[in-house]
Amino acid sequence: MLFESGRNGNVYVTAINSVSQQANLRQFDVGVIDSGVGGLAVAREIQNLDSSIQIGYFADTAVFPYGDKNSIQVADRIDFLATKFVEAGTRLLVIACNTGSSAGLTSIRRKFARASVQIVGMEPPLKPAAIHSRNKSVAVVATSGTVAGQALTNLRDRVATDTTTKFIVASGLASSIERGELTGKDLDSVLQELLNLISSDGVDSVALGCSHYSFVYEEIREVLPDGVKLFDAALPVAKRTLELWTESRSSDNVSKSFNPISVFVTGDPAGFVASVARLETAGCMIPMVSVNPVPLPIN
Ligand code: DGL
């Protein structure tokens, strides 16, 4: 066993429990993909909505961070990991990563269109942020890859035409969170930029555009002035996943047993576990996971 910690009494069972003895990928009800720990924020919401769902999770830490890579590289990784899940029989995928969805969602949807694979992507929650902005002035905080990508521009043109939308690249913030550090200069500079926009441009609604940032939701919430709204996409993405899962499964196939999330790490599994443990110590809700002891071959 690599690491074990006790429960903290939350609905999310927080023990990082047994390290599975086999790293063989098998069929899961849902396959979740992210560059690292960020997608656990989505997976924990799925597990919280239905703890019997069997979730497989790729943490692509060998290539982390996606945010600094070019979109072709990121799209290749999403394709590679999605294909692993599909080859093992998984038919419902969640790209729990805004950067990964921006770069790779269109091509994997096309690739698996005939294989009856359903794919849930993740995008910054700009739509609710724009709807709830009284000043029609919104900020999106995301990685440089997401901000540079066409997907975000398309989203803005689709859902926020009547709103001024500022994009903030939070360089380094996902990396701090990936190390399990929830404070520090990367978060401070995002907060400073947000506060500047709030005072200068009347931003009153903020969308978190990276799954890692769910883990600093409270830290950001605390410093935003009253009346400024903060939106995170983890729960909506989990709800959409549940809808698709409920529609697709047959009623005689309903299991009630609890299943921890099976994590496959492409980099160093012990490093991943150490980061998750640090996040948990810092007060983050971590779902129950079982981390495979050997890394997944990266290509
Ligand atoms: N979690 C990823 C996202 O949602 C980004 C982290 C990274 O840069 O790898 O955008």
Side-chain angles (χ1 to χ4, degrees), residues 20-299:
S20 152
Q21 288 311 303
Q22 40 95 28
N24 291 336
L25 201 55
R26 59 175 177 83
Q27 181 182 344
F28 291 98
D29 296 335
V30 178
V32 178
I33 298 172
D34 182 43
S35 57
V37 299
L40 286 180
V42 175
R44 77 179 172 191
E45 299 295 356
I46 299 173
Q47 194 182 66
N48 196 35
L49 291 168
D50 184 341
S51 63
S52 70
I53 289 192
Q54 299 185 30
I55 303 173
Y57 186 100
F58 276 138
D60 197 10
T61 60
V63 184
F64 181 90
Y66 282 177
D68 297 351
K69 307 284 180 307
N70 73 51
S71 62
I72 294 170
Q73 266 177 294
V74 176
D76 281 351
R77 294 305 296 174
I78 296 297
D79 180 291
F80 169 71
L81 296 171
T83 303
K84 288 252 175 232
F85 270 137
V86 172
E87 282 172 355
T90 298
R91 288 287 171 273
L92 177 53
L93 306 183
V94 183
I95 313 306
C97 176
N98 293 257
T99 318
S101 297
S102 168
L105 191 60
T106 307
S107 55
I108 58 166
R109 281 205 169 126
R110 202 179 305 126
K111 176 172 177 174
F112 297 121
R114 298 230 190 107
S116 57
V117 174
Q118 291 179 297
I119 306 172
V120 180
M122 191 162 193
E123 62 187 15
L126 177 55
K127 186 174 180 183
I131 289 171
H132 288 93
S133 171
R134 261 178 286 122
N135 300 341
K136 292 293 159 211
S137 184
V138 169
V140 176
V141 187
T143 67
S144 54
T146 297
V147 167
Q150 189 60 39
L152 184 55
T153 312
N154 293 347
L155 176 69
R156 182 192 60 196
D157 295 347
R158 223 172 42 245
V159 304
T161 43
D162 61 345
T163 303
T164 304
T165 307
K166 309 268 177 191
F167 299 144
I168 298 178
V169 175
S171 41
L173 182 55
S175 297
S176 306
I177 296 164
E178 186 65 24
R179 292 191 299 271
E181 294 162 12
L182 299 190
T183 53
K185 66 173 178 36
D186 300 315
L187 181 59
D188 289 348
S189 77
V190 168
L191 291 171
Q192 195 48 58
E193 219 172 318
L194 279 176
L195 293 174
N196 290 345
L197 287 177
I198 287 161
S199 62
S200 61
D201 296 321
V203 161
D204 62 358
S205 197
V206 177
L208 296 182
C210 169
S211 54
H212 280 67
Y213 305 163
S214 294
F215 290 119
V216 288
Y217 181 94
E218 288 307 328
E219 283 76 2
I220 296 177
R221 169 75 278 146
E222 264 168 33
V223 295
L224 293 180
D226 287 348
V228 176
K229 298 185 177 64
L230 182 61
F231 293 87
D232 178 46
L235 183 58
V237 168
K239 284 184 173 166
R240 178 65 189 140
T241 306
L242 247 291
E243 270 171 24
L244 292 176
W245 168 241
T246 308
E247 281 165 20
S248 67
R249 78 177 159 187
S250 61
S251 50
D252 53 352
N253 190 12
V254 179
S255 143
K256 283 279 164 256
S257 60
F258 175 81
N259 286 298
I261 297 162
S262 293
V263 179
F264 298 85
V265 183
T266 60
D268 170 24
F272 180 87
V273 170
S275 291
V276 169
R278 262 181 243 122
L279 290 174
E280 190 181 20
T281 304
C284 295
M285 300 300 169
I286 301 296
M288 185 179 258
V289 296
S290 135
V291 179
N292 290 282
V294 291
L296 183 89
I298 59 167
N299 50 43

